[in-house]
C-alpha cells in the first residue's frame, strides 16, 4: 500500500459489481458479486454491517458482542453493553438496483459498478463517491479490491467535516488530511503518527463509518491528490468488515459505536486525583523525598509513579524485578510511600531483555513472538531517541499475548507487585510489533501490530482486577478499537512548549470523539527545555478539567520547581482538582452509559452550532462547564460561547452566548463558564481521596440559574414538581452557591430551589 500514500492508480484495483441477491434471512441479505459474496445485515438499530472477502486471521474480540478464540480478548472490565434487537431487513428490487430497509435506515445498492446511498427516513446521509473523471468513470472505485486489500470511497459534501480516528495531533476536522490508522511510537505529538488509533470516523451530518479490523487503514479524507470531495478508506486485509452508523446527533453515533465495541469502564475514584511522576526518580530516597515534600507543602496528590528506570535495572528489564542495588527492601519503600497517603504506580513494558537470566527459559516455553525461522524475534531499539537520561535499551524479546500460556504468565507475574502494595501499573509502549514477527495464533506482524497494545493492556487490566484491591485501572500509552474497556490512556511524550500543549489537547479531544472518555497529558511536557512557569501553569489549569491529571517529564515537574509564586498558584489548582472529583466521577458514570467523553470537543457538544466548531481547543468538561484553554504566552484568548446564558465561574458574571468574546486572562485563571440550568457538585479541599467525606463527597453545590432535571445531572437525583426543584445526594451540612437568583434551602442533604 506504500505507493498509494501520495497518488492513486485505479488500474491496480478491480471494481465490485453486484450480480444478484443469493441469500436472505430475517436480518441480513446476501448478494453475489464478481469479488465474492457481499453480506448486508441489520446489526442493531441505526447500524448496518457490510462484509465482503475472507477472514485473514484471528479474531480479537473488537466487537464486544462477539466471541473471540483463544485468549478471551473480548472481555471487558465492566458490565456488558446493551443488546439491542437488530430488527428485520426488507428488500425491494428495481431494475439494476436493490433497496434495503431496516427500521428507519434505507440502503440503496446499485449494480454495475457497485455503489450505495444511505438515508434515514427522508433524510439523505451519505453515498458512494460522486467524483467523476472527465472520461466518465469515478476517479476512485466505489468499492474495489487488489492484492493489497480493499478500497471504499464515499462522497463528501462541500464544507462537510469529518471527526474521529482516535488520537491525532493535527486539526480535529480530518477533512483535507491523509491519515493512517496504525499505532506508532510517535516520539512526540508533532506529526500524523500517534500512539492510539481507531478506524472510526463520523460526520455531523448524521453518519459514521467504522472498519472492524486489526489491520492498517489509510484514510484519504478530502485528500487533494486523490479527491478533495471524497473520503477513501484503504483497508489492508482480505476481509472488509464495515459498519455504517447513523444517529440524530454525534452523541447518538458515539452511543451506538460504544454499544458495538464495548461501553467505557468507570475507573476508581482515587484515580481522579493527581498523579505525580518524573522521568525519573533515581533512588528510593528521591521518590520518598518527593512524596514527603508534596505532603509537607500541602499539595494535594494521590499517586506517586515509579517510572521504568526508577525501579528497574535497565540492562535486564523487564520482568517484574526490582533493582536490588537501589531497592534491597521494596516492600519497605512502598509502605513508606503509602504511609504518606499515596497510591503507588509502577512502570512496565511487554519486553524482556536478552540479558535477563530468565530470557532463555521464557524463549523455550514459546512466550515470545518469533521470527520467520521460529526463533524468538530479537527487537533492536533505535538508539536515536535516547540520551543521558533515557539511556539506550537492550535487545529484547516481545511477549506473545496470543499464546494463552504466555498471556497467563504475564498476567500472574504481576501478583507479587500488588501483594507488596503496588496499586496500578503504567503499561508503556506496545507499538513495537514489526511486520516480520509470527504469533502463536498464526497471525503475522501486519495483523498483530495495532491490536497488540489492546490485548497487552487487557492483560494488565485483568492482573489488576485479580490481584489488586478495588476497581481496576491501568495507565496505558497505546491503544486500538475497544480501549475504552481498559482505562486510562495518556497522551505519550509531548514537547515541552506551547505547541506541545496545544497538540496534546487536540489528541485528547480526538480520542474523546472516537468513543474513549478518559485521557491525560504530561503536564509540563515530556521532553525539551525545562518549561517556564507560565507554560507550566497554563498546562496545569487546563489539565484540571481532563478526566485524569498527571505531571510528568524529563526533569522536575513538581510545582516548586517553577518558583514560589508559581507553586502558590499551582496549589490552588491542585486543590480545585480535588473539589471537582464528585463532578468528574458523575461524568465518567455518564460515559459508561453513553460513550460520551469527559472532554467534549465543540462539534460533539454543539453539533447544531457550526460557528463553534472552529474553536478547536475549547471544550465542554462534562455537560456543564465550558473550558477555554490559554495556549500561548500573554494570556489573550478568543472564546466562543454558544447560544444561551453562560456564567463566568470565577466572577459570577452572566453572559449571553451566540458570539465570540476576546478575553485577557491573568496567570492564575483559566476561562470557565457554567451552563444555564446546570449544576456543579463540588467536594472539600483534601490532600487525597481517602479524606473525602462518606457516603457523599459533595459539600457544595454550584447552580447556574434554576436547575433543569436532565439525565446525568452531576450524579445527583433531581425532582421537579412545577414549583420547586429538589436535589438529593449532598453531604450533611452542604451549602449552595447560586448564580442568577437560583436560591435554595439545604436540609438533610437535600437542596430545594424555590420557583
Amino acid at each position: 500500500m506504500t505507493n498509494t500514500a501520495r497518488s492513486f492508480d485505479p488500474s491496480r484495483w478491480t471494481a465490485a459489481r453486484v450480480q444478484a441477491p443469493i441469500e436472505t434471512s430475517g436480518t441480513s441479505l446476501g448478494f453475489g458479486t464478481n469479488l465474492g459474496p457481499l453480506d448486508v445485515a441489520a446489526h442493531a438499530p441505526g447500524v448496518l454491517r457490510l462484509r465482503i472477502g475472507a477472514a485473514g486471521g484471528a479474531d480479537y474480540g473488537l466487537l464486544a458482542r462477539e466471541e473471540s478464540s483463544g485468549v478471551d480478548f473480548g472481555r471487558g472490565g465492566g458490565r456488558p453493553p446493551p443488546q439491542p434487537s437488530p430488527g428485520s431487513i426488507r428488500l425491494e428490487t428495481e431494475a439494476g438496483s436493490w433497496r434495503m430497509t431496516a427500521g428507519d435506515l434505507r440502503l440503496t445498492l446499485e449494480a454495475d459498478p457497485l455503489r450505495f446511498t444511505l438515508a434515514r427516513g427522508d433524510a439523505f446521509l451519505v453515498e458512494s463517491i460522486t467524483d467523476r473523471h472527465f472520461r466518465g468513470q469515478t476517479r476512485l472505485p466505489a468499492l474495489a479490491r487488489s492484492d493489497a486489500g480493499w478500497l471504499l470511497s464515499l462522497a463528501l459534501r462541500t464544507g462537510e467535516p469529518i471527526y474521529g480516528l482516535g488520537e491525532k495531533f493535527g486539526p480535529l476536522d480530518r477533512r483535507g488530511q491523509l491519515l493512517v490508522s496504525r499505532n506508532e511510537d510517535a516520539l512526540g505529538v508533532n506529526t500524523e503518527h500517534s500512539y492510539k488509533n481507531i478506524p472510526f470516523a463520523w460526520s455531523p451530518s448524521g453518519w459514521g463509518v467504522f472498519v472492524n479490523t486489526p489491520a492498517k487503514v489509510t484514510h484519504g479524507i478530502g485528500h487533494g491528490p486523490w479527491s478533495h470531495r471524497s473520503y477513501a478508506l484503504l483497508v489492508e486485509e482480505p476481509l472488509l468488515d464495515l459498519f455504517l452508523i447513523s444517529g440524530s446527533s454525534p452523541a447518538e453515533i458515539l452511543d451506538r459505536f460504544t454499544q458495538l465495541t464495548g461501553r467505557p469502564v468507570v475507573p476508581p475514584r482515587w484515580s481522579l486525583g493527581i498523579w505525580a511522576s518524573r522521568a525519573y526518580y533515581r533512588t528510593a530516597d528521591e521518590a520518598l523525598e518527593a512524596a514527603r515534600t508534596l505532603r509537607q507543602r500541602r499539595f494535594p496528590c494521590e499517586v506517586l509513579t515509579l517510572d521504568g528506570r526508577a525501579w528497574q535495572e535497565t540492562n535486564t528489564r523487564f520482568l517484574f524485578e526490582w533493582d536490588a542495588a537501589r531497592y534491597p527492601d521494596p516492600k519497605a519503600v512502598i509502605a513508606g510511600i503509602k504511609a504518606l497517603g499515596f497510591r503507588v504506580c509502577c512502570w512496565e513494558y511487554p519486553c524482556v531483555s536478552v540479558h535477563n537470566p530468565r530470557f532463555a527459559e521464557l524463549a523455550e516455553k514459546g512466550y515470545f513472538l518469533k521470527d520467520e525461522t521460529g526463533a524468538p524475534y530479537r527487537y533492536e531499539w533505535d538508539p536515536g531517541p535516547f540520551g543521558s537520561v533515557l539511556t539506550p535499551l537492550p535487545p529484547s524479546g516481545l511477549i506473545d499475548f496470543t499464546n494463552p500460556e504466555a498471556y497467563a504468565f504475564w498476567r500472574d507475574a504481576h501478583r507479587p507487585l500488588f501483594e507488596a502494595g503496588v496499586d496500578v501499573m503504567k503499561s508503556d509502549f506496545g507499538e513495537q510489533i514489526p511486520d516480520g514477527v509470527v504469533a502463536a495464533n498464526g497471525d503475522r506482524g501486519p495483523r498483530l501490530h495495532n491490536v497488540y497494545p489492546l490485548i497487552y493492556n487487557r492483560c494488565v487490566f485483568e492482573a489488576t482486577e485479580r490481584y489488586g484491591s478495588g476497581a481496576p485501572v491501568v495507565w496505558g500509552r497505546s491503544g486500538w478499537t475497544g480501549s475504552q474497556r481498559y482505562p486510562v490512556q495518556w497522551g505519550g511524550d509531548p514537547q515541552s512548549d506551547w505547541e506541545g500543549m496545544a497538540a496534546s489537547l487536540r489528541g485528547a479531544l480526538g480520542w474523546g470523539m472516537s468513543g474513549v472518555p478518559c485521557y491525560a497529558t504530561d503536564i509540563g511536557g515530556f521532553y525539551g527545555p525545562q518549561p517556564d512557569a507560565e507554560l507550566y501553569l497554563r498546562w496545569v489549569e487546563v489539565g484540571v478539567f481532563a478526566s485524569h491529571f498527571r505531571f510528568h517529564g524529563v526533569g522536575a515537574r513538581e510545582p516548586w520547581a517553577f518558583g514560589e509564586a508559581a507553586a502558590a498558584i499551582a496549589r490552588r489548582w491542585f486543590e480545585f482538582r480535588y473539589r471537582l472529583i464528585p463532578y468528574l466521577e458523575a461524568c465518567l458514570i455518564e460515559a459508561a452509559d453513553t460513550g460520551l467523553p469527559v472532554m467534549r470537543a465543540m462539534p460533539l457538544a454543539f453539533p447544531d452550532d457550526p460557528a463553534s466548531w472552529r474553536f478547536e481547543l475549547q471544550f465542554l468538561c462534562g455537560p456543564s462547564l465550558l473550558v477555554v484553554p490559554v495556549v500561548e504566552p500573554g494570556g489573550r484568548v478568543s472564546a466562543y460561547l454558544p447560544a444561551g446564558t453562560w456564567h463566568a465561574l470565577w466572577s459570577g458574571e452572566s453572559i449571553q452566548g451566540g458570539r465570540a468574546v476576546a478575553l485577557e486572562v491573568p496567570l492564575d485563571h483559566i476561562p470557565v463558564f457554567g451552563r444555564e440550568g446546570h449544576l456543579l457538585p463540588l467536594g472539600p479541599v483534601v490532600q487525597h481521596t481517602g479524606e473525602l467525606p462518606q457516603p457523599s463527597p459533595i459539600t457544595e453545590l454550584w447552580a447556574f440559574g434554576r436547575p433543569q432535571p436532565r439525565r446525568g445531572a452531576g450524579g445527583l437525583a433531581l425532582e421537579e414538581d412545577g414549583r420547586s426543584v429538589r436535589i438529593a445526594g449532598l453531604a450533611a451540612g452542604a451549602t449552595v452557591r447560586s448564580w442568577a437568583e437560583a436560591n435554595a434551602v439545604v436540609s438533610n442533604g437535600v437542596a430545594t430551589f424555590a420557583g
Side-chain angles (χ1 to χ4, degrees):
M1 201 65 69
T2 305
N3 292 336
T4 64
R6 295 297 173 193
S7 61
F8 188 87
D9 180 5
S11 66
R12 297 179 56 227
W13 297 83
T14 301
R17 300 187 304 276
V18 180
Q19 295 163 346
I22 56 175
E23 184 180 358
T24 63
S25 71
T27 60
S28 66
L29 301 170
F31 294 85
T33 82
N34 60 314
L35 302 180
L38 168 69
D39 181 74
V40 181
H43 187 81
V47 180
L48 296 178
R49 184 179 191 179
L50 283 66
R51 280 178 287 185
I52 187 169
D59 169 62
Y60 292 100
L62 302 182
L63 300 183
R65 293 171 59 186
E66 295 194 344
E67 295 296 326
S68 60
S69 57
V71 177
D72 189 4
F73 301 123
R75 287 195 300 126
R79 57 182 173 77
Q83 303 290 309
S85 171
S88 61
I89 191 166
R90 188 175 73 253
L91 176 66
E92 301 173 66
T93 303
E94 298 179 4
S97 68
W98 297 268
R99 178 180 298 172
M100 292 154 280
T101 304
D104 63 351
L105 280 187
R106 186 175 68 256
L107 184 76
T108 302
L109 200 65
E110 297 179 18
D112 189 10
L114 183 154
R115 55 174 287 108
F116 69 81
T117 301
L118 182 67
R120 184 179 66 246
D122 295 330
F124 167 84
L125 294 179
V126 67
E127 63 182 321
S128 297
I129 183 171
T130 57
D131 177 0
R132 294 190 177 276
H133 195 277
F134 185 76
R135 297 182 178 90
Q137 72 271 25
T138 54
R139 196 170 304 273
L140 308 175
L143 178 66
R145 188 180 69 187
S146 76
D147 292 340
W150 290 92
L151 171 74
L152 178 81
S153 303
L154 304 173
L156 296 175
R157 286 170 279 187
T158 296
E160 182 175 21
I162 298 294
Y163 298 101
L165 299 182
E167 173 198 65
K168 294 294 186 182
F169 302 114
L172 297 184
D173 179 4
R174 312 307 190 193
R175 183 84 179 246
Q177 300 180 54
L178 181 69
L179 300 176
V180 181
S181 294
R182 188 177 190 273
N183 296 334
E184 302 284 358
D185 187 348
L187 302 176
V189 295
N190 304 333
T191 71
E192 186 273 333
H193 289 167
S194 64
Y195 309 89
K196 294 170 279 295
N197 293 267
I198 298 177
F200 161 62
W202 53 266
S203 163
S205 300
W207 61 271
V209 59
F210 162 56
V211 186
N212 176 34
T213 181
K216 175 183 172 183
V217 183
T218 301
H219 309 261
I221 311 167
H223 174 57
W226 292 2
S227 169
H228 69 75
R229 54 184 281 178
S230 308
Y231 176 8
L233 299 92
L234 289 78
V235 183
E236 298 189 19
E237 182 160 42
L239 172 69
L240 177 64
D241 187 2
L242 186 83
F243 289 85
L244 297 172
I245 306 172
S246 70
S248 59
S249 66
E252 187 172 44
I253 294 173
L254 283 193
D255 183 19
R256 289 173 169 170
F257 174 68
T258 55
Q259 287 183 43
L260 283 176
T261 60
R263 289 299 201 195
V265 171
V266 179
R269 175 181 290 172
W270 61 260
S271 74
L272 303 178
I274 291 172
W275 298 51
S277 186
R278 185 196 295 181
Y280 54 100
Y281 299 117
R282 295 177 181 271
T283 66
D285 287 343
E286 192 173 37
L288 279 164
E289 180 61 25
R292 291 191 193 101
T293 306
L294 284 162
R295 289 287 178 253
Q296 290 166 359
R297 300 189 60 152
R298 305 294 295 171
F299 284 97
C301 197
E302 198 75 24
V303 181
L304 189 75
T305 304
L306 301 178
D307 218 47
R309 293 160 183 80
W311 71 287
Q312 291 275 302
E313 200 283 305
T314 297
N315 194 49
T316 59
R317 77 177 190 183
F318 175 88
L319 207 55
F320 304 93
E321 304 153 335
W322 294 83
D323 181 357
R326 291 180 296 156
Y327 291 86
D329 189 355
K331 286 187 178 181
V333 175
I334 294 172
I337 295 171
K338 294 176 79 72
L340 294 166
F342 285 89
R343 307 270 178 164
V344 176
C345 174
C346 280
W347 176 100
E348 70 174 284
Y349 67 179
C351 311
V352 180
S353 167
V354 298
H355 306 306
N356 191 288
R358 296 188 64 191
F359 181 88
E361 170 199 343
L362 301 185
E364 179 67 24
K365 291 180 177 180
Y367 288 178
F368 296 123
L369 294 169
K370 296 180 171 58
D371 62 22
E372 297 286 354
T373 72
Y377 188 94
R378 183 182 169 112
Y379 186 82
E380 301 282 350
W381 297 89
D382 175 8
F386 303 101
S388 59
V389 175
L390 303 178
T391 50
L393 302 177
S396 302
L398 306 170
I399 294 294
D400 185 353
F401 290 106
T402 76
N403 178 343
E405 293 181 0
Y407 184 98
F409 163 76
W410 197 261
R411 178 197 64 210
D412 297 341
H414 289 81
R415 183 172 183 172
L417 291 178
F418 288 113
E419 289 179 343
V422 171
D423 297 281
V424 58
M425 299 301 295
K426 174 183 174 180
S427 45
D428 206 353
F429 290 86
E431 314 92 356
Q432 279 66 41
I433 305 305
D435 287 351
V437 301
V438 181
N441 68 355
D443 265 347
R444 295 174 180 266
R447 283 198 95 246
L448 187 62
H449 178 93
N450 286 325
V451 81
Y452 185 87
L454 180 74
I455 56 179
Y456 159 44
N457 278 285
R458 174 67 187 98
C459 182
V460 180
F461 188 92
E462 184 179 317
T464 314
E465 194 172 35
R466 285 194 177 200
Y467 304 119
S469 58
V473 67
V474 298
W475 192 269
R477 183 171 84 170
S478 192
W480 189 249
T481 303
S483 284
Q484 66 271 14
R485 304 178 211 166
Y486 318 119
V488 173
Q489 291 80 38
W490 100 93
D493 302 328
Q495 189 171 333
S496 56
D497 62 10
W498 292 92
E499 290 302 321
M501 180 173 69
S504 295
L505 289 173
R506 290 192 292 268
L509 296 172
W511 193 233
M513 285 197 285
S514 306
V516 192
C518 295
Y519 196 92
T521 66
D522 285 347
I523 302 296
F526 181 73
Y527 71 93
Q530 180 77 348
D532 62 24
E534 183 181 13
L535 172 62
Y536 178 77
L537 288 173
R538 292 305 188 193
W539 214 321
V540 165
E541 289 163 2
V542 70
V544 164
F545 297 93
S547 77
H548 288 76
F549 180 110
R550 182 186 70 162
F551 58 80
H552 180 64
V554 177
R557 292 295 184 269
E558 295 82 5
W560 53 85
F562 302 92
E564 289 304 315
I569 295 172
R571 183 184 296 106
R572 293 197 295 272
W573 282 108
F574 281 30
E575 291 171 347
F576 189 76
R577 170 70 186 192
Y578 274 79
R579 298 207 67 199
L580 204 58
I581 282 177
Y583 177 69
L584 294 172
E585 193 169 36
C587 293
L588 290 169
I589 292 170
E590 182 182 15
D593 289 334
T594 65
L596 283 171
V598 173
M599 299 173 69
R600 304 174 188 178
M602 301 302 280
L604 175 59
F606 301 99
D608 298 325
D609 189 354
S612 73
W613 302 350
R614 69 182 181 87
F615 290 80
E616 286 205 328
L617 295 181
Q618 68 179 52
F619 58 92
L620 272 187
C621 172
S624 307
L625 301 178
L626 182 66
V627 180
V628 183
V630 180
V631 294
E632 57 184 36
R636 293 182 178 85
V637 66
S638 179
Y640 181 86
L641 303 179
T645 302
W646 296 87
H647 304 275
L649 208 61
W650 317 120
S651 69
E653 178 188 3
S654 296
I655 304 173
Q656 289 304 308
R659 61 194 178 100
V661 294
L663 303 171
E664 292 195 17
V665 188
L667 185 57
D668 61 346
H669 278 65
I670 180 175
V672 183
F673 301 89
R675 199 173 186 179
E676 176 75 13
H678 283 244
L679 295 166
L680 178 62
L682 296 173
V685 173
V686 294
Q687 289 297 295
H688 56 83
T689 56
E691 296 180 350
L692 288 174
Q694 300 297 331
S696 173
I698 301 171
T699 58
E700 190 171 1
L701 189 65
W702 292 6
F704 308 116
R706 178 185 171 91
Q708 300 297 315
R710 59 173 50 84
R711 181 182 182 184
L716 297 163
L718 276 70
E719 298 177 1
E720 185 173 27
D721 62 9
R723 293 175 298 174
S724 63
V725 179
R726 298 179 74 251
I727 302 171
L730 284 66
T735 60
V736 171
R737 178 181 175 188
S738 61
W739 281 258
E741 300 179 358
N743 298 314
V745 176
V746 183
S747 177
N748 298 321
V750 177
T752 303
F753 289 80

